[in-house]
Amino acid sequence: MKKIYINTILATFFLCVAISPVQALMFNDLDWTGYYNDATHKSFADGETGLGYDIHFHALGGNLTWNPSDGGVGVGDDEITGGREALLIWYSKPIDIATFELVDLFYEGVARNPYREAGFFGFDSDFGNGLSLDGFGYFEADLWQAIGGEGPDAGSYSVAINGQVQGIAFFAGLNSRNDYAVAGYTTPVPEPSTVLLLGLGMIGLAGLGRKKFKK
């Protein structure tokens, strides 16, 4: 019985480890080979994503742009710029999303005219219920994120969603100084308390079984 008890504890540990990690899908993990910035649409089938669903990108106001140097998707030059540009992303089924990850969103901290780049978004949680605006938000660069640099960490910013998304549209503020690119998204992290309660419950059941066995 002692062996069963120990095995239950080990199983609980490995279960907690298995459900805790969260993988961010960064768009530079997708295979953009052969894609050129001369189209308005790009799709990745579920076999290409390895996630069991399709991902679609569509640009409004210009061509869809993939920038491998910073791992971001944009419109026109290499970013979503204030004005008529917008980036639409949608999935073949609703997805639980914690955050969308942005790059190139900077605080232009020049002494004479400081400016924080900004944007906004709106999303539909489930196309099966018809097209609707189920959530929206506004964001702007952090004060510590000074302009400059290239790469996936330059101007990085997390937009909190914490909900189900099937389609989302990203816009930049009307001022042409606003621009950024979308670099990926993350899925929700299980609450630590939930994982702990699950583990304690399994250990408790094992202890109860051991007690009954002794009787």
Side-chain angles (χ1 to χ4, degrees), residues 73-186:
V73 180
V75 180
D77 46 12
D78 65 347
E79 298 162 357
I80 307 165
T81 304
R84 298 181 179 180
E85 294 181 359
L87 175 66
L88 311 181
I89 303 173
W90 71 95
Y91 307 92
S92 55
K93 66 178 184 179
I95 305 299
D96 288 325
I97 290 178
T99 64
F100 272 94
E101 302 302 314
L102 311 181
V103 290
D104 292 332
L105 186 75
F106 291 111
Y107 169 56
E108 300 180 20
V110 292
R112 295 177 59 186
N113 188 20
Y115 190 82
R116 296 169 69 178
E117 294 180 344
F120 56 99
F121 65 91
F123 67 86
D124 186 339
S125 61
D126 190 341
F127 293 163
N129 300 326
L131 295 178
S132 59
L133 182 63
D134 297 321
F136 61 91
Y138 171 84
F139 53 87
E140 60 183 1
D142 294 317
L143 292 174
W144 54 264
Q145 190 65 65
I147 190 168
E150 279 286 339
D153 296 325
S156 59
Y157 189 96
S158 294
V159 175
I161 302 293
N162 297 317
Q164 199 174 60
V165 174
Q166 187 162 10
I168 188 166
F170 287 95
F171 308 86
L174 294 179
N175 192 313
S176 61
R177 291 175 66 179
N178 293 305
D179 53 27
Y180 63 94
V182 184
Y185 59 93
T186 65

Side-chain angles (χ1 to χ4, degrees), residues 42-54:
K42 173 66 175 174
S43 294
F44 293 93
D46 59 349
E48 296 175 277
T49 65
L51 298 170
Y53 52 83
D54 305 339

